[in-house]
Amino acid sequence: MERRMIKFRGKILLSNEWVYGGVTPTDVTWSCAITTERYGFYTKDYVDRDTLGQFIGLYDKNNKEIYEGDVIKDSDSRTAYVKWLNQECGFCLVYKHYDSRITSLIVPYLEVIGNIHDNPDLIENE
C-alpha cells in the first residue's frame, strides 16, 4: 500500500516567509502552527490561517509540488487556482467561468506559476 504524504504550507505571521510541514491547531482563531524540522530540531511556526494550504499529492510538469492556493497555467495558457471543493469531493482548478477536477491525467500539462497570496494579480487579470 502506497503511503500518502500529508503536508501543509503557510506564511509565518511575523516574517511572511513560507514554511512547510505538519499543521497543529491553536487556540487563537486567526493562526495555526506548522511544525517543521530544521537543523535536526522540530520548530513550531505560527502562520496566518488564511494562507494555509494542503499539498494535494501531485506534482506539476516541472516536478514542483502543487498546493491548495497555487496558481496554475494549463496547456492552453489559461490560469486557474487550486481549491478544495466539497461538491466535487476533491481539489479542483477554479477558472473564471468553470471548475475542473484535478486528475493525474491532466497534471503533466499543468505548471505552477505562483499562488493566490503572493500573486493575486495572476488570477485577477484572467
Side-chain angles (χ1 to χ4, degrees):
M1 176 182 225
E2 187 176 336
R3 294 180 64 124
R4 192 176 76 154
M5 184 185 325
I6 299 175
K7 183 163 76 169
F8 294 84
R9 73 171 178 199
K11 273 189 159 183
I12 297 176
L13 286 169
L14 298 176
S15 71
N16 252 2
E17 172 190 355
W18 287 101
V19 289
Y20 300 80
V23 71
T24 305
T26 64
D27 58 353
V28 181
T29 58
W30 44 266
S31 78
C32 60
I34 290 186
T35 304
T36 58
E37 183 179 357
R38 284 188 243 163
Y39 313 112
F41 298 97
Y42 286 98
T43 61
K44 189 181 289 188
D45 294 300
Y46 290 91
V47 299
D48 180 349
R49 185 179 297 273
D50 292 337
T51 66
L52 189 66
Q54 185 175 355
F55 172 52
I56 70 167
L58 299 170
Y59 298 83
D60 76 352
K61 69 180 188 178
N62 299 315
N63 206 33
K64 185 174 181 178
E65 293 177 339
I66 301 174
Y67 283 84
E68 186 176 10
D70 277 342
V71 177
I72 301 289
K73 182 167 65 170
D74 67 16
S75 58
D76 295 324
S77 294
R78 295 174 299 177
T79 58
Y81 65 95
V82 178
K83 182 177 182 178
W84 174 270
L85 294 177
N86 287 334
Q87 65 269 27
E88 294 292 331
C89 298
F91 290 103
C92 293
L93 292 176
V94 178
Y95 291 89
K96 189 171 186 174
H97 299 292
Y98 65 97
D99 303 332
S100 172
R101 181 97 186 257
I102 297 177
T103 68
S104 58
L105 296 175
I106 66 168
V107 171
Y109 305 102
L110 302 178
E111 180 179 17
V112 174
I113 58 171
N115 65 68
I116 60 173
H117 309 290
D118 294 334
N119 318 99
D121 55 311
L122 291 175
I123 293 299
E124 292 168 2
N125 293 336
E126 181 63 22

